[in-house]
Amino acid sequence: VVAILPDSSAGTLSSKPRGSFSVSQALNGAEGPHRNHQPFPGSTAHDAVLVLDPSPGENFGHPVVLFYVDVNVTKKRCSHLDGIYLDECLTLALKGQCQNQLKRRHAGPERLLGLGNGHSRLAGGAPRSGNRLVERTAGGLCEVHFLPMVVGVGDSNRTQRLRCVHAEFARCPQPLLMGSASMPMSSCELNKNTRRCHQQPLATHLSCRLYQTCDHAVLISGWQQQITFQHHVQNLQRFYRMLQNNGFHKDHIKTFFASSGQLPEGSYSATEKEVIRNHVSYVCRKQHCADTLVLYLNSPTRNDGTMLLWDANLNGIADLKERYSVNELLADLAGCKATRVLLFVDQSYSGVLSKRLRGSQKHPNAGFLNVTLAGAPCNVTPPLTDGELRREYQGCQNLPTALWH
């Protein structure tokens, strides 16, 4: 098998900092001086892949430890590969072409696995002492932050073979139920008249009405079935209900999730970045369209803050159309004409976006104090009644004609 990552160049992984071939080479069909026309040539193939997730309750990306497992490797050969020998040879996989690939770090995988202090065991292996891997880097930009797509050599369908194993450490998460919606978009494009490929179009221009300002929301979640779980669906549903409880009309809450068919009617697939960006931009640019604009972000995230949208072609690699970068999001929100813009960043590396917003002069309506989600003042005497909140702040308010002209 080979392992493919979504967040590095062409899915590149390396099991050794010197003298090894990368997955990108395998995907291109190159192996040293010879050319192999199999989809995944043998240079990067291994007998198995082992992934240990030290933070199973956290959203991806977060650091995971990924090993290649090879049988019929001698102890001497395994040591030469900087591996851990336990009848099989385990070699640490790191992202290739990363900036600190050759930097040394003292906190290696052995410390993560408890192998650095005296004699200890790994996965039932024999007692052993420290290993040269402790000198290897396992951190920073070289860390693996996602579960890889593990594909058998020669499998042109790219069937995911990585499976979660329930251990005492943590339960396996509840997987996302997928039907025909998992069909690659490329196949749908060849059969646009088929019912299962039908997608509800997003009529963004209907979101803003004359002489009216409304509260709007955009919810984004999901990358791939392997790291998108039922609790992500529940996150979206709970946030959706919270918005409705605060007066947001269902027509003004746009949910982008997975491919299609995983959520109730009214949601949209997260396969078209331009649709998402155009909608956010339109609501922001249209004068008097949005009073409050809420963005709820719950996608897997690279360490530079880039959100991963749904893997439309199911190749395991986050292509350009499947990534929503911090720069792109900030450009879509720059100079937004909404009265206030609220971002709920329920994902990893939220500090990147937060820092950029704090230092920006193009996003002045993100700072607010003492107002509710719909913009009502918090400290008025006497307090506003529920009827006054709904009429004057929540949902939509009519604007005088003079204001428009």
Side-chain angles (χ1 to χ4, degrees), residues 217-279:
V218 176
L219 286 58
I220 306 175
S221 181
W223 153 247
Q224 202 184 52
Q225 186 179 9
Q226 186 69 24
I227 56 176
T228 304
F229 309 117
Q230 283 300 120
H231 70 256
H232 292 108
V233 178
Q234 295 162 3
N235 288 346
L236 291 174
Q237 291 172 335
R238 281 195 290 263
F239 201 88
Y240 186 94
R241 286 195 295 269
M242 183 276 292
L243 291 171
Q244 286 198 310
N245 291 338
N246 282 272
F248 284 67
H249 193 274
K250 65 178 183 178
D251 290 342
H252 297 143
I253 305 174
K254 306 300 183 187
T255 301
F256 297 93
F257 176 76
S259 55
S260 62
Q262 281 79 40
L263 280 184
E265 184 180 357
S267 62
Y268 302 88
S269 65
T271 58
E272 299 295 331
K273 180 170 74 170
E274 290 307 311
V275 172
I276 299 174
R277 294 194 64 188
N278 288 341
H279 179 72

Short mmCIF file of all heavy atoms in Angstrom, two decimals, residues 217-279:
data_model
loop_
_atom_site.label_atom_id
_atom_site.label_comp_id
_atom_site.label_asym_id
_atom_site.label_seq_id
_atom_site.Cartn_x
_atom_site.Cartn_y
_atom_site.Cartn_z
N ALA A 217 -26.33 33.70 7.53
CA ALA A 217 -25.32 32.78 8.08
C ALA A 217 -24.84 31.82 7.00
O ALA A 217 -25.61 31.44 6.10
CB ALA A 217 -25.89 32.00 9.26
N VAL A 218 -23.57 31.45 7.10
CA VAL A 218 -22.97 30.45 6.22
C VAL A 218 -22.25 29.43 7.10
O VAL A 218 -21.42 29.79 7.93
CB VAL A 218 -21.96 31.10 5.24
CG1 VAL A 218 -21.28 30.03 4.39
CG2 VAL A 218 -22.65 32.13 4.36
N LEU A 219 -22.61 28.15 6.92
CA LEU A 219 -22.02 27.06 7.70
C LEU A 219 -21.25 26.15 6.75
O LEU A 219 -21.76 25.73 5.72
CB LEU A 219 -23.12 26.25 8.40
CG LEU A 219 -23.82 26.84 9.63
CD1 LEU A 219 -24.49 28.17 9.33
CD2 LEU A 219 -24.86 25.86 10.19
N ILE A 220 -19.98 25.86 7.11
CA ILE A 220 -19.11 25.05 6.24
C ILE A 220 -18.49 23.92 7.05
O ILE A 220 -17.93 24.16 8.13
CB ILE A 220 -17.99 25.92 5.62
CG1 ILE A 220 -18.57 27.14 4.89
CG2 ILE A 220 -17.15 25.09 4.66
CD1 ILE A 220 -17.52 28.09 4.37
N SER A 221 -18.55 22.69 6.51
CA SER A 221 -17.95 21.55 7.21
C SER A 221 -17.71 20.41 6.24
O SER A 221 -18.40 20.28 5.23
CB SER A 221 -18.87 21.09 8.36
OG SER A 221 -18.30 20.00 9.06
N GLY A 222 -16.72 19.56 6.57
CA GLY A 222 -16.53 18.31 5.86
C GLY A 222 -15.38 18.30 4.88
O GLY A 222 -15.15 19.26 4.17
N TRP A 223 -14.61 17.18 4.86
CA TRP A 223 -13.57 16.99 3.85
C TRP A 223 -13.72 15.64 3.17
O TRP A 223 -13.84 15.54 1.96
CB TRP A 223 -12.17 17.12 4.48
CG TRP A 223 -11.09 16.35 3.76
CD1 TRP A 223 -10.39 15.27 4.21
CD2 TRP A 223 -10.58 16.61 2.44
NE1 TRP A 223 -9.49 14.83 3.26
CE2 TRP A 223 -9.59 15.63 2.16
CE3 TRP A 223 -10.88 17.56 1.46
CZ2 TRP A 223 -8.90 15.58 0.95
CZ3 TRP A 223 -10.19 17.50 0.25
CH2 TRP A 223 -9.20 16.54 0.01
N GLN A 224 -13.76 14.58 3.93
CA GLN A 224 -13.78 13.25 3.36
C GLN A 224 -14.38 12.31 4.38
O GLN A 224 -14.31 12.57 5.58
CB GLN A 224 -12.34 12.82 3.02
CG GLN A 224 -12.23 11.73 1.98
CD GLN A 224 -10.78 11.33 1.79
OE1 GLN A 224 -10.11 11.02 2.78
NE2 GLN A 224 -10.29 11.32 0.57
N GLN A 225 -14.97 11.23 3.93
CA GLN A 225 -15.65 10.32 4.85
C GLN A 225 -14.73 9.82 5.95
O GLN A 225 -15.16 9.61 7.09
CB GLN A 225 -16.22 9.13 4.08
CG GLN A 225 -17.09 8.21 4.93
CD GLN A 225 -17.66 7.06 4.12
OE1 GLN A 225 -17.28 6.86 2.98
NE2 GLN A 225 -18.57 6.31 4.71
N GLN A 226 -13.45 9.68 5.64
CA GLN A 226 -12.51 9.11 6.60
C GLN A 226 -12.34 9.99 7.84
O GLN A 226 -12.11 9.48 8.94
CB GLN A 226 -11.15 8.89 5.93
CG GLN A 226 -10.12 8.17 6.79
CD GLN A 226 -10.47 6.71 7.01
OE1 GLN A 226 -11.19 6.13 6.22
NE2 GLN A 226 -9.98 6.13 8.09
N ILE A 227 -12.46 11.31 7.69
CA ILE A 227 -12.27 12.20 8.84
C ILE A 227 -13.46 13.14 9.04
O ILE A 227 -13.35 14.18 9.65
CB ILE A 227 -10.96 13.01 8.72
CG1 ILE A 227 -10.91 13.82 7.41
CG2 ILE A 227 -9.75 12.11 8.83
CD1 ILE A 227 -9.68 14.71 7.32
N THR A 228 -14.62 12.75 8.51
CA THR A 228 -15.86 13.47 8.76
C THR A 228 -16.83 12.49 9.41
O THR A 228 -17.13 11.45 8.85
CB THR A 228 -16.47 14.01 7.45
OG1 THR A 228 -15.49 14.84 6.80
CG2 THR A 228 -17.71 14.85 7.73
N PHE A 229 -17.31 12.85 10.60
CA PHE A 229 -18.05 11.90 11.41
C PHE A 229 -19.46 12.43 11.70
O PHE A 229 -19.80 13.57 11.38
CB PHE A 229 -17.30 11.63 12.72
CG PHE A 229 -15.87 11.25 12.51
CD1 PHE A 229 -14.83 12.04 13.00
CD2 PHE A 229 -15.53 10.10 11.79
CE1 PHE A 229 -13.52 11.70 12.80
CE2 PHE A 229 -14.20 9.76 11.58
CZ PHE A 229 -13.19 10.55 12.09
N GLN A 230 -20.26 11.58 12.33
CA GLN A 230 -21.63 11.96 12.66
C GLN A 230 -21.68 13.17 13.58
O GLN A 230 -22.61 13.98 13.50
CB GLN A 230 -22.36 10.79 13.32
CG GLN A 230 -22.82 9.71 12.35
CD GLN A 230 -23.78 10.25 11.29
OE1 GLN A 230 -23.52 10.19 10.10
NE2 GLN A 230 -24.89 10.80 11.73
N HIS A 231 -20.68 13.35 14.44
CA HIS A 231 -20.73 14.51 15.33
C HIS A 231 -20.53 15.82 14.57
O HIS A 231 -20.94 16.87 15.04
CB HIS A 231 -19.73 14.38 16.49
CG HIS A 231 -18.29 14.49 16.10
ND1 HIS A 231 -17.46 13.40 16.02
CD2 HIS A 231 -17.51 15.56 15.80
CE1 HIS A 231 -16.25 13.78 15.69
NE2 HIS A 231 -16.25 15.10 15.54
N HIS A 232 -19.95 15.76 13.36
CA HIS A 232 -19.87 16.97 12.55
C HIS A 232 -21.26 17.35 12.03
O HIS A 232 -21.60 18.54 11.95
CB HIS A 232 -18.90 16.76 11.38
CG HIS A 232 -17.47 16.64 11.80
ND1 HIS A 232 -16.79 15.45 11.76
CD2 HIS A 232 -16.60 17.55 12.29
CE1 HIS A 232 -15.54 15.64 12.20
NE2 HIS A 232 -15.41 16.90 12.53
N VAL A 233 -22.05 16.34 11.68
CA VAL A 233 -23.43 16.61 11.29
C VAL A 233 -24.19 17.23 12.47
O VAL A 233 -24.94 18.20 12.31
CB VAL A 233 -24.13 15.31 10.83
CG1 VAL A 233 -25.59 15.57 10.48
CG2 VAL A 233 -23.40 14.70 9.64
N GLN A 234 -23.98 16.67 13.65
CA GLN A 234 -24.65 17.18 14.85
C GLN A 234 -24.21 18.60 15.17
O GLN A 234 -25.02 19.43 15.61
CB GLN A 234 -24.39 16.24 16.02
CG GLN A 234 -25.01 14.85 15.83
CD GLN A 234 -24.42 13.81 16.76
OE1 GLN A 234 -23.56 14.11 17.59
NE2 GLN A 234 -24.85 12.56 16.58
N ASN A 235 -22.92 18.90 14.96
CA ASN A 235 -22.44 20.28 15.16
C ASN A 235 -23.23 21.25 14.30
O ASN A 235 -23.68 22.31 14.77
CB ASN A 235 -20.96 20.38 14.81
CG ASN A 235 -20.06 19.71 15.83
OD1 ASN A 235 -20.49 19.38 16.93
ND2 ASN A 235 -18.82 19.48 15.46
N LEU A 236 -23.37 20.91 13.01
CA LEU A 236 -24.10 21.78 12.09
C LEU A 236 -25.57 21.91 12.49
O LEU A 236 -26.14 23.02 12.47
CB LEU A 236 -24.00 21.24 10.67
CG LEU A 236 -22.62 21.30 10.00
CD1 LEU A 236 -22.66 20.59 8.66
CD2 LEU A 236 -22.17 22.75 9.81
N GLN A 237 -26.19 20.80 12.86
CA GLN A 237 -27.60 20.84 13.23
C GLN A 237 -27.84 21.67 14.48
O GLN A 237 -28.82 22.43 14.56
CB GLN A 237 -28.13 19.41 13.40
CG GLN A 237 -28.20 18.63 12.09
CD GLN A 237 -28.53 17.17 12.29
OE1 GLN A 237 -28.28 16.60 13.35
NE2 GLN A 237 -29.11 16.55 11.26
N ARG A 238 -26.96 21.54 15.47
CA ARG A 238 -27.11 22.32 16.70
C ARG A 238 -26.91 23.81 16.43
O ARG A 238 -27.63 24.66 16.96
CB ARG A 238 -26.12 21.83 17.77
CG ARG A 238 -26.56 20.56 18.48
CD ARG A 238 -25.76 20.34 19.74
NE ARG A 238 -24.38 19.98 19.42
CZ ARG A 238 -23.93 18.73 19.40
NH1 ARG A 238 -24.76 17.73 19.64
NH2 ARG A 238 -22.67 18.47 19.12
N PHE A 239 -25.90 24.13 15.61
CA PHE A 239 -25.66 25.54 15.31
C PHE A 239 -26.82 26.12 14.50
O PHE A 239 -27.23 27.26 14.72
CB PHE A 239 -24.35 25.69 14.53
CG PHE A 239 -23.76 27.07 14.61
CD1 PHE A 239 -22.92 27.43 15.64
CD2 PHE A 239 -24.08 28.04 13.66
CE1 PHE A 239 -22.39 28.71 15.73
CE2 PHE A 239 -23.57 29.32 13.73
CZ PHE A 239 -22.71 29.65 14.78
N TYR A 240 -27.36 25.31 13.59
CA TYR A 240 -28.51 25.74 12.79
C TYR A 240 -29.71 26.05 13.69
O TYR A 240 -30.37 27.08 13.53
CB TYR A 240 -28.85 24.62 11.80
CG TYR A 240 -29.94 24.96 10.80
CD1 TYR A 240 -29.62 25.45 9.54
CD2 TYR A 240 -31.29 24.77 11.10
CE1 TYR A 240 -30.60 25.75 8.60
CE2 TYR A 240 -32.28 25.06 10.18
CZ TYR A 240 -31.93 25.55 8.93
OH TYR A 240 -32.90 25.85 8.03
N ARG A 241 -29.98 25.16 14.64
CA ARG A 241 -31.10 25.40 15.56
C ARG A 241 -30.86 26.64 16.42
O ARG A 241 -31.79 27.40 16.69
CB ARG A 241 -31.31 24.17 16.45
CG ARG A 241 -31.94 22.99 15.73
CD ARG A 241 -32.45 21.96 16.72
NE ARG A 241 -31.36 21.35 17.48
CZ ARG A 241 -30.72 20.25 17.10
NH1 ARG A 241 -31.08 19.63 15.98
NH2 ARG A 241 -29.76 19.75 17.85
N MET A 242 -29.61 26.84 16.85
CA MET A 242 -29.30 28.02 17.63
C MET A 242 -29.57 29.29 16.83
O MET A 242 -30.12 30.27 17.37
CB MET A 242 -27.83 27.98 18.08
CG MET A 242 -27.38 29.13 18.97
SD MET A 242 -26.88 30.62 18.07
CE MET A 242 -25.40 30.04 17.26
N LEU A 243 -29.20 29.30 15.56
CA LEU A 243 -29.46 30.46 14.72
C LEU A 243 -30.96 30.71 14.58
O LEU A 243 -31.43 31.85 14.68
CB LEU A 243 -28.83 30.27 13.34
CG LEU A 243 -27.30 30.29 13.27
CD1 LEU A 243 -26.83 29.87 11.88
CD2 LEU A 243 -26.75 31.66 13.63
N GLN A 244 -31.73 29.63 14.36
CA GLN A 244 -33.17 29.80 14.24
C GLN A 244 -33.78 30.32 15.54
O GLN A 244 -34.71 31.14 15.52
CB GLN A 244 -33.82 28.48 13.84
CG GLN A 244 -33.58 28.10 12.39
CD GLN A 244 -34.57 27.06 11.89
OE1 GLN A 244 -34.75 26.03 12.53
NE2 GLN A 244 -35.20 27.33 10.76
N ASN A 245 -33.25 29.87 16.67
CA ASN A 245 -33.74 30.37 17.96
C ASN A 245 -33.43 31.84 18.15
O ASN A 245 -34.05 32.50 19.00
CB ASN A 245 -33.14 29.56 19.11
CG ASN A 245 -33.65 28.13 19.16
OD1 ASN A 245 -34.72 27.84 18.63
ND2 ASN A 245 -32.89 27.24 19.77
N ASN A 246 -32.46 32.35 17.39
CA ASN A 246 -32.13 33.78 17.46
C ASN A 246 -32.69 34.55 16.28
O ASN A 246 -32.22 35.65 15.97
CB ASN A 246 -30.61 33.96 17.52
CG ASN A 246 -30.04 33.69 18.90
OD1 ASN A 246 -29.97 34.59 19.74
ND2 ASN A 246 -29.68 32.44 19.17
N GLY A 247 -33.69 33.98 15.62
CA GLY A 247 -34.44 34.71 14.61
C GLY A 247 -33.94 34.60 13.19
O GLY A 247 -34.52 35.21 12.29
N PHE A 248 -32.89 33.83 12.94
CA PHE A 248 -32.39 33.67 11.56
C PHE A 248 -33.39 32.84 10.77
O PHE A 248 -33.79 31.75 11.20
CB PHE A 248 -31.02 32.97 11.55
CG PHE A 248 -29.88 33.86 11.95
CD1 PHE A 248 -29.75 34.34 13.25
CD2 PHE A 248 -28.91 34.22 11.03
CE1 PHE A 248 -28.70 35.15 13.62
CE2 PHE A 248 -27.83 35.03 11.39
CZ PHE A 248 -27.74 35.50 12.69
N HIS A 249 -33.79 33.34 9.61
CA HIS A 249 -34.73 32.62 8.76
C HIS A 249 -34.00 31.52 8.00
O HIS A 249 -32.86 31.71 7.58
CB HIS A 249 -35.41 33.58 7.78
CG HIS A 249 -36.59 32.98 7.09
ND1 HIS A 249 -36.48 32.22 5.94
CD2 HIS A 249 -37.92 33.00 7.39
CE1 HIS A 249 -37.68 31.82 5.55
NE2 HIS A 249 -38.57 32.28 6.41
N LYS A 250 -34.66 30.38 7.81
CA LYS A 250 -34.00 29.24 7.17
C LYS A 250 -33.50 29.57 5.76
O LYS A 250 -32.50 29.01 5.30
CB LYS A 250 -34.94 28.04 7.13
CG LYS A 250 -36.18 28.23 6.28
CD LYS A 250 -37.03 26.95 6.25
CE LYS A 250 -38.23 27.10 5.34
NZ LYS A 250 -39.04 25.86 5.28
N ASP A 251 -34.19 30.48 5.07
CA ASP A 251 -33.75 30.85 3.72
C ASP A 251 -32.44 31.62 3.72
O ASP A 251 -31.79 31.76 2.68
CB ASP A 251 -34.83 31.68 3.02
CG ASP A 251 -36.06 30.85 2.68
OD1 ASP A 251 -35.95 29.61 2.66
OD2 ASP A 251 -37.13 31.45 2.44
N HIS A 252 -32.05 32.14 4.88
CA HIS A 252 -30.84 32.94 4.98
C HIS A 252 -29.72 32.20 5.71
O HIS A 252 -28.71 32.81 6.07
CB HIS A 252 -31.14 34.27 5.68
CG HIS A 252 -32.10 35.12 4.91
ND1 HIS A 252 -33.06 35.91 5.52
CD2 HIS A 252 -32.28 35.29 3.58
CE1 HIS A 252 -33.79 36.53 4.60
NE2 HIS A 252 -33.31 36.16 3.41
N ILE A 253 -29.91 30.89 5.95
CA ILE A 253 -28.86 30.05 6.53
C ILE A 253 -28.42 29.07 5.45
O ILE A 253 -29.17 28.18 5.07
CB ILE A 253 -29.36 29.29 7.77
CG1 ILE A 253 -29.94 30.23 8.82
CG2 ILE A 253 -28.21 28.47 8.38
CD1 ILE A 253 -30.59 29.52 10.00
N LYS A 254 -27.23 29.23 4.94
CA LYS A 254 -26.71 28.36 3.88
C LYS A 254 -25.67 27.41 4.47
O LYS A 254 -24.64 27.84 4.99
CB LYS A 254 -26.08 29.18 2.75
CG LYS A 254 -27.00 30.27 2.17
CD LYS A 254 -28.27 29.69 1.59
CE LYS A 254 -29.11 30.79 0.95
NZ LYS A 254 -30.43 30.31 0.51
N THR A 255 -25.97 26.11 4.38
CA THR A 255 -25.09 25.08 4.92
C THR A 255 -24.39 24.36 3.77
O THR A 255 -25.04 23.84 2.86
CB THR A 255 -25.89 24.06 5.75
OG1 THR A 255 -26.55 24.75 6.83
CG2 THR A 255 -24.98 22.99 6.33
N PHE A 256 -23.06 24.32 3.83
CA PHE A 256 -22.25 23.63 2.82
C PHE A 256 -21.54 22.47 3.52
O PHE A 256 -20.70 22.68 4.38
CB PHE A 256 -21.23 24.58 2.20
CG PHE A 256 -21.85 25.73 1.46
CD1 PHE A 256 -22.08 26.94 2.10
CD2 PHE A 256 -22.23 25.61 0.13
CE1 PHE A 256 -22.66 28.01 1.42
CE2 PHE A 256 -22.81 26.67 -0.55
CZ PHE A 256 -23.02 27.86 0.09
N PHE A 257 -21.92 21.24 3.11
CA PHE A 257 -21.40 20.08 3.82
C PHE A 257 -21.29 18.89 2.88
O PHE A 257 -22.20 18.59 2.11
CB PHE A 257 -22.34 19.72 4.98
CG PHE A 257 -21.93 18.48 5.72
CD1 PHE A 257 -20.87 18.50 6.61
CD2 PHE A 257 -22.61 17.29 5.54
CE1 PHE A 257 -20.48 17.37 7.30
CE2 PHE A 257 -22.23 16.14 6.22
CZ PHE A 257 -21.17 16.19 7.11
N ALA A 258 -20.15 18.19 2.96
CA ALA A 258 -19.94 16.93 2.25
C ALA A 258 -20.23 17.08 0.75
O ALA A 258 -20.00 18.15 0.17
CB ALA A 258 -20.78 15.82 2.87
N SER A 259 -20.71 16.02 0.12
CA SER A 259 -20.95 16.10 -1.32
C SER A 259 -22.40 16.42 -1.60
O SER A 259 -22.73 17.47 -2.10
CB SER A 259 -20.54 14.79 -2.01
OG SER A 259 -21.18 13.69 -1.43
N SER A 260 -23.32 15.53 -1.25
CA SER A 260 -24.74 15.84 -1.35
C SER A 260 -25.51 14.71 -0.71
O SER A 260 -25.05 13.57 -0.68
CB SER A 260 -25.17 16.01 -2.82
OG SER A 260 -24.97 14.82 -3.53
N GLY A 261 -26.67 15.02 -0.18
CA GLY A 261 -27.53 13.99 0.35
C GLY A 261 -27.28 13.60 1.79
O GLY A 261 -27.98 12.75 2.32
N GLN A 262 -26.26 14.20 2.44
CA GLN A 262 -26.00 13.83 3.83
C GLN A 262 -26.79 14.67 4.83
O GLN A 262 -26.84 14.33 5.99
CB GLN A 262 -24.50 13.96 4.16
CG GLN A 262 -23.65 12.80 3.66
CD GLN A 262 -23.36 12.92 2.19
OE1 GLN A 262 -23.09 13.99 1.70
NE2 GLN A 262 -23.42 11.81 1.49
N LEU A 263 -27.36 15.77 4.40
CA LEU A 263 -28.10 16.64 5.30
C LEU A 263 -29.52 16.84 4.76
O LEU A 263 -29.79 16.58 3.60
CB LEU A 263 -27.41 18.00 5.43
CG LEU A 263 -26.22 18.07 6.38
CD1 LEU A 263 -25.72 19.49 6.46
CD2 LEU A 263 -26.59 17.57 7.77
N PRO A 264 -30.43 17.32 5.60
CA PRO A 264 -31.80 17.55 5.13
C PRO A 264 -31.85 18.57 4.00
O PRO A 264 -30.88 19.27 3.71
CB PRO A 264 -32.51 18.09 6.39
CG PRO A 264 -31.68 17.62 7.53
CD PRO A 264 -30.27 17.58 7.03
N GLU A 265 -32.99 18.64 3.39
CA GLU A 265 -33.21 19.58 2.28
C GLU A 265 -32.87 21.00 2.71
O GLU A 265 -33.17 21.42 3.82
CB GLU A 265 -34.66 19.50 1.83
CG GLU A 265 -34.97 20.34 0.61
CD GLU A 265 -36.43 20.24 0.19
OE1 GLU A 265 -37.16 19.45 0.82
OE2 GLU A 265 -36.81 20.94 -0.76
N GLY A 266 -32.28 21.73 1.81
CA GLY A 266 -31.89 23.10 2.12
C GLY A 266 -30.39 23.26 2.28
O GLY A 266 -29.89 24.38 2.33
N SER A 267 -29.65 22.14 2.38
CA SER A 267 -28.20 22.22 2.48
C SER A 267 -27.59 22.07 1.09
O SER A 267 -28.23 21.60 0.15
CB SER A 267 -27.66 21.13 3.41
OG SER A 267 -27.98 19.86 2.91
N TYR A 268 -26.32 22.47 0.98
CA TYR A 268 -25.62 22.44 -0.29
C TYR A 268 -24.30 21.70 -0.12
O TYR A 268 -23.74 21.66 0.97
CB TYR A 268 -25.37 23.86 -0.81
CG TYR A 268 -26.63 24.66 -0.98
CD1 TYR A 268 -27.16 25.39 0.08
CD2 TYR A 268 -27.32 24.67 -2.19
CE1 TYR A 268 -28.33 26.13 -0.06
CE2 TYR A 268 -28.50 25.40 -2.34
CZ TYR A 268 -29.00 26.12 -1.27
OH TYR A 268 -30.16 26.83 -1.42
N SER A 269 -23.81 21.12 -1.20
CA SER A 269 -22.56 20.38 -1.11
C SER A 269 -21.38 21.34 -0.98
O SER A 269 -21.43 22.47 -1.47
CB SER A 269 -22.38 19.49 -2.34
OG SER A 269 -22.24 20.28 -3.50
N ALA A 270 -20.35 20.86 -0.30
CA ALA A 270 -19.13 21.66 -0.13
C ALA A 270 -18.10 21.31 -1.20
O ALA A 270 -16.90 21.31 -0.94
CB ALA A 270 -18.55 21.44 1.27
N THR A 271 -18.58 21.00 -2.39
CA THR A 271 -17.67 20.59 -3.47
C THR A 271 -17.32 21.74 -4.40
O THR A 271 -16.41 21.61 -5.21
CB THR A 271 -18.31 19.46 -4.29
OG1 THR A 271 -19.57 19.92 -4.81
CG2 THR A 271 -18.53 18.22 -3.45
N GLU A 272 -18.04 22.86 -4.32
CA GLU A 272 -17.80 23.96 -5.24
C GLU A 272 -17.35 25.20 -4.47
O GLU A 272 -18.17 25.94 -3.93
CB GLU A 272 -19.08 24.26 -6.04
CG GLU A 272 -19.56 23.11 -6.90
CD GLU A 272 -18.58 22.78 -8.02
OE1 GLU A 272 -17.85 23.69 -8.46
OE2 GLU A 272 -18.53 21.61 -8.42
N LYS A 273 -16.04 25.40 -4.43
CA LYS A 273 -15.51 26.54 -3.68
C LYS A 273 -16.03 27.85 -4.22
O LYS A 273 -16.34 28.78 -3.45
CB LYS A 273 -13.98 26.52 -3.71
CG LYS A 273 -13.35 27.70 -2.95
CD LYS A 273 -11.86 27.55 -2.78
CE LYS A 273 -11.10 27.79 -4.05
NZ LYS A 273 -9.64 27.88 -3.82
N GLU A 274 -16.14 27.98 -5.54
CA GLU A 274 -16.58 29.24 -6.12
C GLU A 274 -18.01 29.58 -5.72
O GLU A 274 -18.35 30.76 -5.55
CB GLU A 274 -16.46 29.18 -7.65
CG GLU A 274 -15.03 29.18 -8.16
CD GLU A 274 -14.20 30.34 -7.61
OE1 GLU A 274 -14.69 31.49 -7.67
OE2 GLU A 274 -13.10 30.10 -7.10
N VAL A 275 -18.86 28.56 -5.56
CA VAL A 275 -20.23 28.82 -5.11
C VAL A 275 -20.22 29.40 -3.70
O VAL A 275 -20.93 30.37 -3.40
CB VAL A 275 -21.06 27.52 -5.16
CG1 VAL A 275 -22.43 27.73 -4.52
CG2 VAL A 275 -21.23 27.05 -6.60
N ILE A 276 -19.41 28.81 -2.82
CA ILE A 276 -19.31 29.31 -1.44
C ILE A 276 -18.76 30.73 -1.43
O ILE A 276 -19.33 31.63 -0.80
CB ILE A 276 -18.41 28.38 -0.60
CG1 ILE A 276 -19.01 26.97 -0.55
CG2 ILE A 276 -18.23 28.94 0.80
CD1 ILE A 276 -18.12 25.95 0.13
N ARG A 277 -17.67 30.97 -2.16
CA ARG A 277 -17.04 32.29 -2.15
C ARG A 277 -17.96 33.35 -2.77
O ARG A 277 -18.05 34.47 -2.25
CB ARG A 277 -15.72 32.24 -2.93
CG ARG A 277 -14.65 31.37 -2.28
CD ARG A 277 -13.29 31.64 -2.89
NE ARG A 277 -12.86 33.01 -2.63
CZ ARG A 277 -11.78 33.57 -3.17
NH1 ARG A 277 -11.04 32.88 -4.02
NH2 ARG A 277 -11.45 34.81 -2.89
N ASN A 278 -18.63 32.98 -3.85
CA ASN A 278 -19.53 33.95 -4.49
C ASN A 278 -20.69 34.33 -3.58
O ASN A 278 -21.11 35.49 -3.56
CB ASN A 278 -20.07 33.38 -5.80
CG ASN A 278 -19.02 33.32 -6.89
OD1 ASN A 278 -18.00 34.00 -6.82
ND2 ASN A 278 -19.25 32.50 -7.90
N HIS A 279 -21.19 33.36 -2.83
CA HIS A 279 -22.30 33.66 -1.92
C HIS A 279 -21.84 34.59 -0.80
O HIS A 279 -22.51 35.60 -0.51
CB HIS A 279 -22.88 32.38 -1.35
CG HIS A 279 -24.00 32.61 -0.39
ND1 HIS A 279 -25.25 33.04 -0.79
CD2 HIS A 279 -24.07 32.53 0.97
CE1 HIS A 279 -26.03 33.20 0.26
NE2 HIS A 279 -25.33 32.89 1.34
#
